[in-house]
Amino acid sequence: MAVWWAGQGGLRGRRIELQQAEPMDFQFQVDLNSATWQELVLLPGVGGTLAMRIIQSRNEEGPFTDVADLLRVPGIGPATLDRLRPHLAPLADKRHLADVPSPTPGDG
């Protein structure tokens, strides 16, 4: 009886069978124009250095108006961009990023 009790966790309580836990798959999206360094390093294949390059590019060259603008960041090529796409939130309308007023009805 003591062996069974110890096998069940003893005073600590019941053991948790991690092998039986269902793997959890989660999706997340990051906004390139507002993401912090901590958020960017969560992206697959993006480490601390590449995250800093993304932020530097955003600060020096302006906001990203298209996901393909990431190609301007040194270290990001087409394969990396394809890996990142599912994790990138849709970007805002280009007119709002450039502070260009939207056309109003009647303007011609």
Side-chain angles (χ1 to χ4, degrees), residues 53-73:
R53 288 180 189 160
I54 293 170
I55 292 171
Q56 182 178 9
S57 175
R58 183 176 69 198
N59 291 340
E60 292 176 0
E61 300 178 50
F64 297 98
T65 58
D66 189 80
V67 173
D69 287 349
L70 270 177
L71 294 172
R72 73 185 189 204
V73 178

Side-chain angles (χ1 to χ4, degrees), residues 3-75:
V3 172
W4 177 84
W5 178 74
Q8 295 299 311
L11 294 175
R12 293 175 292 164
R14 186 163 174 80
R15 290 186 318 195
I16 298 174
E17 296 292 331
L18 295 178
Q19 298 84 356
Q20 295 178 1
E22 291 290 324
M24 294 179 62
D25 186 29
F26 65 94
Q27 292 290 323
F28 63 94
Q29 291 189 322
V30 172
D31 181 348
L32 287 173
N33 290 315
S34 65
T36 63
W37 179 87
Q38 293 86 351
E39 293 169 327
L40 291 170
V41 297
L42 294 174
L43 295 170
V46 176
T49 302
L50 193 51
M52 287 305 298
R53 288 180 189 160
I54 293 170
I55 292 171
Q56 182 178 9
S57 175
R58 183 176 69 198
N59 291 340
E60 292 176 0
E61 300 178 50
F64 297 98
T65 58
D66 189 80
V67 173
D69 287 349
L70 270 177
L71 294 172
R72 73 185 189 204
V73 178

Side-chain angles (χ1 to χ4, degrees), residues 95-108:
R95 290 181 303 238
H96 297 293
L97 291 175
D99 291 324
V100 175
S102 299
T104 57
D107 285 350

